[in-house]
Amino acid sequence: MISSGLRPCSLLAAATLTLLIIQAQGITRHYHFNEMCVQVQMANVTRLCGTKSIVTVNGRFPGPEIVAREGDRLHVRVTNHVAHNMTIHWHGIRQLRTGWADGPAYITQCPIQTGQTYVYRFTVTGQRGTLWWHAHISWFRSTVYGAIIILPKRGVPYPFPAPHKEVPVIFGGDESQALKVGGPPNISDAYTINGLPGPLYDCSVKDTFRLKVTPGKTYLLRLVNAALNDELFFSIANHTLTIVEVDAVYVKPLTVDILVISSGQTTNVLLTAKPVYPNASFYMSATGYSVDRPPAYFDNTTVSAILEYRNPSASSFHKELPIFSPPLPPFNDTNFVVNFTTGLRSLNTPEYPAAVPRSVDRRFFFTISLGTLPCPENTTCQGLHGGQYAAAVNNVSFILPSKALLQSHFTDQSTGVYQPDFPAMPLSPFNYTGTPPNNSNLGTGTRLLVLPYNTSVELVMQDTSIVGFESHPLHLHGYNFFVVGQGFGNYNPTTDPAKFNLVDPVERNTVSVPPGGCTGGKTGFG
């Protein structure tokens, strides 16, 4: 809903999110939900045969969509009235000289305490498509999230056939908090589509998202993977999907039966309904991808929504139609995942070029690993060798500071907050994908790299076998990067750069490092 006027909003016992969009032409429009304010509040939600209290936005799960146009400037006022600290991250928005608006707690800002207010200000620059917003503190991301829909500038068409309708489809997980005893995360109870588990779970037939389509019409599905820790296969029975955009960047159209979407990624697809009424319904299904975890150690269930056709000869939907299920790959089908991801290419047209940096100022090689930290005193841990599992890059496991890193940097008060000496390369090279080393101990620290504005960077991310291979989704906050190469085994700095795609590599803000492999990316910070 769009309104040209401003109206006051009442502050309830909630966190209030007020969105003000100022367009580049100087026209001010006020985008609002539920009488201007978006309230983040506790609400009881009944799913899977039980009721629990979760943090929601406007009492909705997922939260409301934010709709903007390329070039709009957004002002988002968040007043926190819940009993927990809160921040909101605008996942995938290019924060060009507005890093303080990005939202990760203790990185770009201190969290918003109960009763306090923070205003996010940023401009949507050179982006159109689907992104998303979510809480970025503790585990609130599991329920506090929603879609960001960025339309092209007025008068600018899509570079693909205009759809009859656009529909957000957000994947989530009914997640439990990771164990506080140093083990792996708990297995989620179910996946969800637009907050609903679907008919394949207990007590969930009524909690099913239904997409109603008209024969012959084309629909743009705006897919968002908001699950905390799960990469997903997705397919619609007896239908194909044409991918036209990922992470708010247009791509060469790619038609598939099944797609892969990693945690944090977005994908826009065109779905063309069958030309005549099919006398059937079709499951829209998603299930998890996992490499080295057997099904008992991750959520190996399937979430389904239902694609229903409007019958031109009937006034309502027929409820007794046969329903078809799509075939999905095995949970550990890494070859399928790699073939899919390497098939994506930037559109790379004069209107939407792939501006890949041809030269770089800095090169980094990051090893991605899961290792162990000593178990806290008087605690029993469930990690390897009785330790506490932790993630690390170049063997550094991040320690959250008590002051925001960006604030400390800009105020020149970083002493004692962080060290600007994060290693650009592993300090102790080893056979990263060979026999796992006996020592899984990690170092710790609040260490980072400080880069000048407008620096071009080449980054290679290498998976390791320290605790076992894993597909690692990694997100670059505030910027995009070009995925110029992916492969298995150890990265070879002598021969592998010759294989980089510098013409039309896919541009993303979130990418998965292949299990037992590496990913190369290029970006410009500026």
Side-chain angles (χ1 to χ4, degrees):
M1 186 174 181
I2 302 175
S3 171
S4 59
L6 301 179
R7 290 186 287 175
C9 60
S10 60
L11 297 180
L12 304 181
T16 303
L17 202 72
T18 304
L19 174 64
L20 179 67
I21 297 181
I22 305 175
Q23 293 191 328
Q25 303 95 312
I27 300 173
T28 300
R29 280 185 171 85
H30 178 221
Y31 287 69
H32 63 84
F33 312 95
N34 286 6
E35 301 302 325
M36 171 179 150
C37 291
V38 175
Q39 282 104 27
V40 179
Q41 60 193 36
M42 301 300 297
N44 290 330
V45 174
T46 300
R47 299 284 190 274
L48 304 174
C49 316
T51 300
K52 61 181 179 181
S53 182
I54 64 173
V55 181
T56 65
V57 173
N58 277 9
R60 292 168 49 185
F61 168 62
E65 303 160 16
I66 289 178
V67 182
R69 287 191 180 274
E70 179 184 353
D72 284 355
R73 180 161 176 80
L74 280 67
H75 290 196
V76 185
R77 178 180 296 272
V78 179
T79 301
N80 185 10
H81 286 276
V82 296
H84 313 282
N85 288 347
M86 182 64 63
T87 67
I88 301 293
H89 169 50
W90 316 99
H91 189 108
I93 293 290
R94 294 172 180 164
Q95 299 289 358
L96 304 180
R97 292 189 170 180
T98 53
W100 49 85
D102 197 46
Y106 295 106
I107 307 301
T108 61
Q109 67 171 102
C110 290
I112 308 166
Q113 299 181 20
T114 302
Q116 299 300 307
T117 296
Y118 188 84
V119 180
Y120 297 91
R121 296 182 176 91
F122 53 88
T123 300
V124 181
T125 303
Q127 294 179 283
R128 77 296 301 167
T130 304
L131 297 171
W132 64 301
W133 58 266
H134 60 84
H136 204 295
I137 186 170
S138 187
W139 291 85
F140 296 119
R141 189 189 119 187
S142 63
T143 61
V144 179
Y145 59 78
I148 302 175
I149 296 173
I150 306 172
L151 302 174
K153 294 180 179 179
R154 292 194 182 279
V156 177
Y158 292 128
F160 49 80
H164 170 66
K165 187 177 181 181
E166 304 182 9
V167 183
V169 177
I170 306 180
F171 305 106
D174 188 357
E175 301 275 0
S176 299
Q177 184 173 337
L179 297 175
K180 295 182 178 180
V181 291
N186 290 350
I187 302 171
S188 65
D189 299 318
Y191 297 119
T192 59
I193 293 179
N194 288 346
L196 302 173
L200 305 185
Y201 295 102
D202 292 340
C203 309
S204 298
V205 172
K206 294 182 179 179
D207 295 326
T208 300
F209 174 69
R210 296 175 183 271
L211 175 60
K212 299 174 175 61
V213 299
T214 299
K217 299 292 187 180
T218 297
Y219 297 80
L220 181 68
L221 306 186
R222 296 177 175 271
L223 309 180
V224 178
N225 186 353
L228 284 175
N229 196 42
D230 295 284
E231 299 177 80
L232 299 172
F233 298 109
F234 174 68
S235 181
I236 301 178
N238 297 2
H239 291 73
T240 58
L241 303 170
T242 300
I243 301 168
V244 293
E245 175 258 310
V246 298
D247 290 1
V249 179
Y250 294 137
V251 296
K252 290 181 172 67
L254 177 65
T255 300
V256 298
D257 297 316
I258 305 167
L259 60 82
V260 181
I261 184 167
S262 294
S263 177
Q265 290 183 340
T266 63
T267 302
N268 279 4
V269 299
L270 292 176
L271 165 69
T272 299
K274 295 182 180 298
V276 296
Y277 182 68
N279 283 304
S281 295
F282 307 90
Y283 278 134
M284 307 165 55
S285 298
T287 192
Y289 163 60
S290 181
V291 182
D292 63 345
R293 293 179 294 172
Y297 291 94
F298 78 102
D299 188 346
N300 194 34
T301 62
T302 299
V303 60
S304 289
I306 298 178
L307 180 69
E308 298 179 333
Y309 275 74
R310 290 185 171 87
N311 187 346
S313 61
S315 59
S316 61
F317 288 87
H318 198 293
K319 299 184 181 298
E320 303 300 328
L321 294 175
I323 186 166
F324 294 94
S325 298
L328 292 167
F331 72 90
N332 57 355
D333 195 340
T334 295
N335 287 334
F336 180 94
V337 173
V338 172
N339 289 335
F340 171 81
T341 55
T342 55
L344 294 170
R345 293 285 187 271
S346 288
L347 190 57
N348 194 28
T349 62
E351 295 81 9
Y352 305 103
V356 186
R358 295 295 173 152
S359 61
V360 294
D361 302 310
R362 299 288 302 274
R363 285 183 168 85
F364 302 109
F365 182 76
F366 288 173
T367 56
I368 315 298
S369 64
L370 186 68
T372 55
L373 296 173
C375 191
E377 192 174 348
N378 299 321
T379 303
T380 300
C381 292
Q382 297 180 355
L384 191 66
H385 307 307
Q388 185 179 38
Y389 280 131
V393 176
N394 283 352
N395 208 51
V396 178
S397 186
F398 182 69
I399 295 178
L400 205 64
S402 58
K403 295 181 180 179
L405 298 179
L406 193 59
Q407 176 185 352
S408 300
H409 172 73
F410 275 110
T411 58
D412 198 25
Q413 296 178 349
S414 61
T415 302
V417 179
Y418 67 79
Q419 294 176 289
D421 63 349
F422 189 88
M425 305 283 288
L427 299 181
S428 300
F430 62 98
N431 183 1
Y432 307 113
T433 57
T435 302
N438 293 326
N439 185 359
S440 62
N441 296 333
L442 299 174
T444 61
T446 307
R447 304 169 66 181
L448 53 83
L449 291 163
V450 178
L451 297 176
Y453 184 75
N454 212 25
T455 299
S456 295
V457 170
E458 178 183 290
L459 169 64
V460 175
M461 294 174 284
Q462 172 75 58
D463 186 34
T464 66
S465 59
I466 293 178
V467 177
F469 294 135
E470 188 175 5
S471 180
H472 296 273
L474 292 169
H475 170 53
L476 178 62
H477 278 244
Y479 295 90
N480 285 0
F481 49 81
F482 291 98
V483 185
V484 296
Q486 285 188 308
F488 293 105
N490 294 336
Y491 173 70
N492 188 319
T494 302
T495 60
D496 285 344
K499 305 172 188 176
F500 285 172
N501 174 13
L502 303 180
V503 177
D504 60 351
V506 68
E507 183 180 350
R508 310 209 68 143
N509 63 65
T510 303
V511 68
S512 284
V513 179
C518 56
T519 294
K522 291 192 176 188
T523 190
F525 290 92

